[in-house]
Amino acid sequence: MRPLIVANWKMNNGIKESLSYMEVFKPIVKDCNADIAICPPFSGISELKKSMKGTNIKIGAQNMHHEDNGAFTGEVSPQFLKELGCEYVIIGHSERRKHFNETDEFINKKLISALNYRLIPILCVGEDMAQRKKHETKRFIKKQLVAGLGKIGGADVRNIVIAYEPIWAIGTGNNATPDQAEDVHLHIRDLLSKIYGKSSTANVRILYGGSMKPENSKELMVMPNINGGLVGGASLDPKKFAEICMNV
Ligand code: PGA
């Protein structure tokens, strides 16, 4: 399966910084064997997209509302993301769940809406440290996954990407070990295949996220069910992010 490496810039990089980032990043990844996407803040999408013209790099958003338009002050619709040329959208990141109270039900609506607009949703799931210590990881991931996917069908599940991001590993410098991550990725793949059948889910890409960096990306990515990465902190440095992309 061709790996997918996604940069989640979070609330970092204005337009000027984004454009100088691309000047460094583009030439290094020009012959990359992975699919690459960058998810900048909304404000940078348009300019960044222009700077990607003629490259193998795709653009995505970090969030969206599920409605097409309407009285939702401060929100951005999937229609507008499509108009900007977005191909991917991150849905249900743990920071959105935590700081903006996003529920599984809300996340499911976004997922359905993204699929309707032919955006590739990257659905994020992951447990916190207390849950891991209590051996609740797999049960919790199942709950998030089942509720997040809701009633979407087997034909649609092929078009989504799942990101396993243990909360305790995000931004902490402490990544999950390759074995810890693979254990959950396999669990996710088994769940998907139980719900939708093997043929619909064998090619669903499951990304790992949580302190992925050039020093650990190779050992994580060789695991059979780790099909790429969702990279936060290390993606802010164009050389480091390029190294992760080239390391697949
Ligand atoms: P991190 O963030 O790489 O800084 O841990 C990953 C994420 O939150 O997507």
Side-chain angles (χ1 to χ4, degrees):
M1 198 180 320
R2 191 172 162 86
L4 168 66
I5 314 289
V6 181
N8 175 11
W9 282 358
K10 309 192 180 184
M11 201 168 70
N12 295 292
N13 285 342
I15 291 176
K16 232 191 197 158
E17 292 151 316
S18 305
L19 296 180
S20 39
Y21 180 107
M22 290 305 280
E23 290 319 302
V24 180
F25 184 67
K26 281 192 290 193
I28 316 180
V29 298
K30 121 172 135 1
D31 299 313
C32 186
N33 290 323
D35 289 340
I36 303 172
I38 297 181
C39 301
F42 287 132
S43 54
I45 291 178
S46 181
E47 286 302 314
L48 201 64
K49 169 80 184 166
K50 282 186 216 154
S51 79
M52 290 172 176
K53 203 165 171 227
T55 73
N56 51 345
I57 308 159
K58 310 285 189 204
I59 192 126
Q62 299 171 15
N63 179 36
M64 55 169 248
H65 197 276
H66 61 276
E67 295 285 354
D68 299 342
N69 42 50
F72 300 101
T73 301
E75 290 294 311
V76 171
S77 120
Q79 196 176 336
F80 308 154
L81 297 183
K82 208 59 201 177
E83 193 175 41
L84 290 171
C86 284
E87 296 193 32
Y88 293 90
V89 58
I90 299 172
I91 305 270
H93 190 280
S94 60
E95 286 152 17
R96 299 231 37 106
R97 293 176 190 257
K98 182 175 172 211
H99 303 302
F100 304 96
N101 302 317
E102 290 197 5
T103 62
D104 286 326
E105 292 67 33
F106 191 41
I107 287 163
N108 175 246
K109 286 186 181 159
K110 294 182 187 217
L111 195 83
I112 292 169
S113 175
L115 288 166
N116 284 341
Y117 276 95
R118 307 225 173 288
L119 288 159
I120 301 172
I122 302 170
L123 172 65
C124 301
V125 296
E127 83 288 0
D128 64 22
M129 190 41 111
Q131 289 166 321
R132 174 157 284 266
K133 282 194 175 146
K134 285 192 269 173
H135 305 285
E136 286 172 359
T137 299
K138 288 189 180 167
R139 198 159 14 118
F140 184 68
I141 299 290
K142 181 177 178 184
K143 179 193 152 288
Q144 281 190 322
L145 201 64
V146 169
L149 294 170
K151 291 196 174 70
I152 71 156
D156 277 335
V157 82
R158 295 167 195 263
N159 300 321
I160 71 167
V161 173
I162 309 283
Y164 169 56
E165 297 208 307
I167 294 171
W168 49 271
I170 295 177
T172 59
N174 302 319
N175 59 291
T177 64
D179 287 338
Q180 282 173 326
E182 172 63 18
D183 187 38
V184 180
H185 282 231
L186 182 60
H187 174 62
I188 293 172
R189 180 140 347 259
D190 284 348
L191 285 170
L192 290 175
S193 121
K194 265 191 205 127
I195 306 171
Y196 297 101
K198 225 177 184 151
S199 63
S200 302
T201 55
N203 291 323
V204 170
R205 289 188 283 198
I206 307 173
L207 315 183
Y208 168 78
S211 299
M212 185 181 263
K213 42 191 177 247
E215 296 80 10
N216 61 25
S217 65
K218 231 183 198 159
E219 57 184 33
L220 284 159
M221 231 102 74
V222 294
M223 303 309 277
N225 287 290
I226 301 183
N227 316 116
L230 179 54
V231 190
S235 78
L236 296 176
D237 177 329
K239 287 194 183 139
K240 280 192 186 166
F241 186 54
E243 199 178 333
I244 295 173
C245 295
M246 297 306 285
N247 256 346
V248 298

